[in-house]
Amino acid sequence: MKKTEILIVGTGAVGSYFGGKLVRENTRVSALCRSDFDIAREKGLEIQSYNGDFVFKPAEVVRDAADLSVVPDYIVVCLKVLPDINIAGMIKDAVGPGTAIVLIQNGINIEKAVADAFPDNELISGIAFIAISRVQTGIARHTGSGKLILGNYPRGVTDKTKLLADIWLNADVPCDLSEKVTRERWQKMVWNAAFNPISVLGGRADTLQMVDVPESEKLVRQVMKEVLALAKATGNELQDELIEGIIDRNKKMRPFKTSMLVDYEMGRPMEVDAILGNAISIARELKINVPRLESLFGLLKLQDVVKKTRDSS
Amino acid sequence: MKKTEILIVGTGAVGSYFGGKLVRENTRVSALCRSDFDIAREKGLEIQSYNGDFVFKPAEVVRDAADLSVVPDYIVVCLKVLPDINIAGMIKDAVGPGTAIVLIQNGINIEKAVADAFPDNELISGIAFIAISRVQTGIARHTGSGKLILGNYPRGVTDKTKLLADIWLNADVPCDLSEKVTRERWQKMVWNAAFNPISVLGGRADTLQMVDVPESEKLVRQVMKEVLALAKATGNELQDELIEGIIDRNKKMRPFKTSMLVDYEMGRPMEVDAILGNAISIARELKINVPRLESLFGLLKLQDVVKKTRDSS
């Protein structure tokens, strides 16, 4: 039987982890990467996991989609969502008529550009819940969770999506299927839109500090309310109780640094547009008032310009 | 003729400048200070001014109000407005029946505690417009402006207030009188509430960057609108055109660091409560929605806790 051909695009921490987990007897997993090219080809990508270390050694490593020797059944994109990354352009030479494109990415409304570029291909939207970060080139450290939610964009679940979920499930990666993946994305946004920006803007705060300082807890809560109102206006109603649940859990959990804060501290670009910018654009279209999301967005955009000015002087 | 007795409380940059300018033939100006005590007594407080350097050598320097040898005609308070500074307690032993208390301080609604503590004394509210900062103990550098607005609290202008204004005017300190000093305070708040917090939260931005980055300019504008709505609700209507005027001026002016940013960079406490906390309390009482002021306040409060936790570990 022909092996399932999979191309992982982006071999950062998330790509290495979920890509590595797809390597099975009946799969052949390649990788498209740039800065990790040599190490991915020579040694493979190392994952130091609290669940057991492993190495993701791709079957093929390419710098360019055109160099891939096969037409993949799945292209799994694990890149950060940044304004200057053109995913459609990056993958187009590897996309065949039967290729499903999978986006394992953060943020809201991130599928549209890819859906427009490949209207005849299946598009699977994926959300990762994982505490993992790169500690050096080719090495990621996985410290918690490791779950996925998959669903077709804009809705539904096809057999091809189920098949991919099965491969992960067989590798002990919890992988839920959702008929309304956009709703799941909004649900993740409730946490993301509050904790990620506030951790950076609040002077590098951890998750506990953000809900422990009363004025900040209030802000967290109000930002989450804005996201809930926005989700509802887009037809993705979420339970109000979600907010208290999140705050309670964050009060009890061991404090940790958000992914945006980790990026900030490492001087790496942050997913400000994917998380806040897209939500604010939707709010503008739907004439929903999101003053707190706009405040956080304005401050992060300002920080970005100030930092670039300082770095270049 | 008996000299006018004046006690300056707080010999930071603002106190040294405006205190020093009060030293005239017909005045006797003393100072209450703590950390500057020795230098104020021995050498005096030096002001390096773009308008000409001078030294403020107080007639008497005391650590405690009880130690002052005279009952002052004016007590001029030039302290930052911080939650742990109890001004009434600090000055009470120097307040006589005829003493006017003058507050040259930032923020909104900062007079109430002093007015309540000394109901029978004249209370003069003052607003300073000056670019000055302390460069080392006993030395301040004055780089721009240097204007005052004075008025009695809550309203009116008495002869005693006019007399004080005249002393400053004779020393070439522009000093306007206002029958509605609270309105002037709100007017200054329009600038303060936007630029001070955003400069700190926006990654140490200067005044030009804040109006140059579109998302930040929008935030500046919206914060100013919230202050205008709040001022109006308290009976202090300001012109809407004020906002565009401020933004235009900041685009043309040579960029500078806000006072809150200077404090932040020096690790000194910032006037977060005087500028934002008091405004938010008023908004709550009047049921006015100020989501952006609350966002800035929540983030600054969080920063403060995070910083203290980090400093103490």
Side-chain angles (χ1 to χ4, degrees):
Chain A
M1 197 180 126
K2 183 185 164 292
K3 289 188 175 187
T4 301
E5 287 286 347
I6 303 170
L7 174 66
I8 304 295
V9 178
T11 51
V14 170
S16 300
Y17 182 85
F18 290 110
K21 290 291 190 183
L22 287 171
V23 179
R24 311 290 294 169
E25 288 215 341
N26 55 348
T27 62
R28 189 172 168 278
V29 184
S30 302
L32 188 160
C33 56
R34 305 263 156 102
S35 56
D36 300 325
F37 182 81
D38 290 330
I39 203 159
R41 180 128 79 166
E42 284 154 29
K43 297 173 51 183
L45 303 152
E46 189 181 333
I47 295 95
Q48 302 172 344
S49 170
Y50 75 104
N51 264 335
D53 300 352
F54 64 100
V55 173
F56 169 33
K57 188 84 175 59
E60 232 176 291
V61 181
V62 294
R63 274 206 175 87
D64 206 296
D67 299 336
L68 195 68
S69 69
V70 294
V71 175
D73 299 298
Y74 299 93
I75 295 180
V76 181
V77 178
C78 299
L79 296 167
K80 277 204 288 189
V81 181
L82 299 172
D84 51 353
I85 298 185
N86 171 8
I87 291 166
M90 194 181 284
I91 64 174
K92 74 170 192 303
D93 290 334
V95 177
T99 303
I101 302 165
V102 188
L103 305 178
I104 310 281
Q105 297 184 296
N106 252 325
I108 210 76
N109 210 20
I110 54 134
E111 302 94 343
K112 199 166 178 314
V114 177
D116 289 349
F118 307 102
D120 301 324
N121 289 76
E122 231 177 82
L123 181 55
I124 302 169
S125 186
I127 307 158
F129 299 84
I130 186 165
I132 193 165
S133 61
R134 179 186 288 225
V135 286
Q136 64 185 76
T137 308
I139 303 180
R141 187 165 296 151
H142 174 214
T143 53
S145 194
K147 188 186 134 176
L148 289 169
I149 299 179
L150 296 185
N152 287 69
Y153 177 82
R155 64 189 64 79
V157 173
T158 62
D159 286 346
K160 191 142 188 175
T161 305
K162 283 182 197 156
L163 179 67
L164 182 65
D166 277 342
I167 303 173
W168 268 313
L169 285 168
N170 285 330
D172 290 325
V173 173
C175 184
D176 289 347
L177 293 166
S178 170
E179 295 279 340
K180 284 192 75 177
V181 71
T182 302
R183 192 175 173 283
E184 310 289 345
R185 232 173 234 294
W186 276 108
Q187 180 144 347
K188 191 176 180 190
M189 263 291 282
V190 176
W191 195 95
N192 262 343
F195 286 90
N196 269 311
I198 294 172
S199 66
V200 172
L201 295 168
R204 295 160 43 212
D206 66 34
T207 48
L208 182 60
Q209 290 169 322
M210 287 188 266
V211 290
D212 214 35
V213 176
E215 295 87 352
S216 164
E217 192 203 311
K218 184 175 177 189
L219 178 58
V220 165
R221 201 183 294 271
Q222 302 277 33
V223 169
M224 293 199 287
K225 276 188 191 167
E226 289 185 2
V227 177
L228 241 64
L230 203 50
K232 188 175 174 181
T234 61
N236 296 284
E237 191 148 5
L238 301 168
Q239 304 283 326
D240 284 348
E241 294 76 48
L242 188 61
I243 294 180
E244 292 315 311
I246 290 174
I247 289 191
D248 276 0
R249 264 198 308 286
N250 275 279
K251 284 192 177 173
K252 287 170 195 155
M253 254 191 315
R254 212 162 68 97
F256 64 94
K257 288 181 182 183
T258 67
S259 62
M260 200 178 267
L261 178 54
V262 172
D263 284 338
Y264 174 81
E265 291 185 341
M266 307 287 279
R268 294 189 297 228
M270 301 180 282
E271 294 181 301
V272 175
D273 288 278
I275 293 176
L276 293 174
N278 289 357
I280 289 168
S281 297
I282 294 171
R284 198 169 302 137
E285 275 169 39
L286 300 176
K287 302 205 192 312
I288 307 271
N289 204 13
V290 288
R292 293 168 190 87
L293 290 176
E294 283 178 349
S295 299
L296 301 176
F297 188 58
L299 293 171
L300 286 171
K301 283 283 174 180
L302 178 57
Q303 277 206 353
D304 193 43
V305 173
V306 172
K307 182 177 181 299
K308 281 180 184 151
T309 310
R310 198 168 286 136
D311 289 351
S312 71
S313 70
Chain B
M1 197 180 125
K2 182 186 164 293
K3 290 189 176 187
T4 301
E5 287 285 348
I6 302 171
L7 173 65
I8 303 294
V9 178
T11 51
V14 170
S16 301
Y17 182 85
F18 291 109
K21 291 290 189 184
L22 288 171
V23 180
R24 311 289 295 169
E25 288 214 341
N26 55 349
T27 62
R28 188 173 168 278
V29 185
S30 303
L32 188 161
C33 56
R34 304 263 157 100
S35 55
D36 300 324
F37 182 81
D38 290 330
I39 202 159
R41 180 129 78 169
E42 285 154 29
K43 296 173 53 182
L45 303 152
E46 189 181 335
I47 296 95
Q48 302 173 344
S49 170
Y50 75 105
N51 265 335
D53 299 354
F54 64 100
V55 172
F56 170 32
K57 187 85 175 58
E60 230 176 291
V61 182
V62 294
R63 273 206 176 86
D64 206 298
D67 298 337
L68 195 68
S69 69
V70 294
V71 176
D73 299 298
Y74 299 93
I75 295 180
V76 181
V77 179
C78 299
L79 295 167
K80 277 205 288 187
V81 181
L82 299 171
D84 51 352
I85 298 185
N86 172 8
I87 291 166
M90 194 180 285
I91 65 174
K92 75 170 191 302
D93 290 335
V95 177
T99 304
I101 302 165
V102 188
L103 305 177
I104 309 281
Q105 297 185 296
N106 252 325
I108 209 76
N109 210 19
I110 55 131
E111 302 93 343
K112 196 163 181 316
V114 177
D116 289 351
F118 307 102
D120 302 324
N121 288 76
E122 230 177 85
L123 181 55
I124 302 170
S125 187
I127 307 160
F129 299 82
I130 185 165
I132 193 166
S133 61
R134 178 186 289 223
V135 287
Q136 65 185 78
T137 307
I139 303 181
R141 188 166 296 150
H142 174 213
T143 53
S145 195
K147 187 187 135 177
L148 288 169
I149 299 179
L150 295 185
N152 287 69
Y153 178 83
R155 65 189 63 79
V157 174
T158 63
D159 285 346
K160 191 141 187 175
T161 305
K162 284 181 197 155
L163 179 67
L164 182 64
D166 277 341
I167 303 174
W168 268 313
L169 285 168
N170 286 330
D172 290 325
V173 172
C175 185
D176 290 347
L177 292 166
S178 170
E179 295 279 340
K180 285 192 74 177
V181 71
T182 302
R183 190 175 173 285
E184 310 289 344
R185 231 172 235 293
W186 276 108
Q187 179 144 346
K188 190 175 180 192
M189 262 291 281
V190 177
W191 194 96
N192 262 344
F195 286 89
N196 269 310
I198 294 173
S199 67
V200 172
L201 294 169
R204 296 159 43 211
D206 66 35
T207 48
L208 181 60
Q209 290 169 322
M210 288 188 267
V211 290
D212 215 34
V213 176
E215 296 87 351
S216 164
E217 192 203 311
K218 184 176 176 187
L219 178 59
V220 165
R221 199 182 296 270
Q222 301 277 33
V223 169
M224 293 198 288
K225 277 188 190 166
E226 288 185 4
V227 176
L228 241 64
L230 203 50
K232 187 175 175 182
T234 62
N236 296 285
E237 191 149 6
L238 302 169
Q239 304 282 326
D240 283 348
E241 294 75 48
L242 187 61
I243 294 179
E244 293 315 310
I246 291 175
I247 290 190
D248 276 0
R249 264 199 307 286
N250 276 279
K251 283 190 178 175
K252 287 170 195 154
M253 253 190 316
R254 212 163 68 98
F256 64 93
K257 286 182 183 184
T258 68
S259 63
M260 200 178 269
L261 178 54
V262 172
D263 284 338
Y264 173 81
E265 290 186 340
M266 307 287 278
R268 295 189 296 228
M270 301 180 283
E271 294 181 301
V272 175
D273 288 279
I275 293 175
L276 293 174
N278 289 357
I280 290 168
S281 298
I282 293 171
R284 199 169 301 137
E285 274 168 39
L286 301 176
K287 302 205 192 313
I288 308 271
N289 204 14
V290 289
R292 293 169 191 86
L293 291 175
E294 283 179 349
S295 299
L296 301 176
F297 188 58
L299 293 171
L300 286 171
K301 283 284 175 179
L302 178 58
Q303 277 205 353
D304 192 42
V305 172
V306 171
K307 182 177 180 300
K308 280 180 183 150
T309 309
R310 198 169 286 136
D311 288 352
S312 71
S313 70

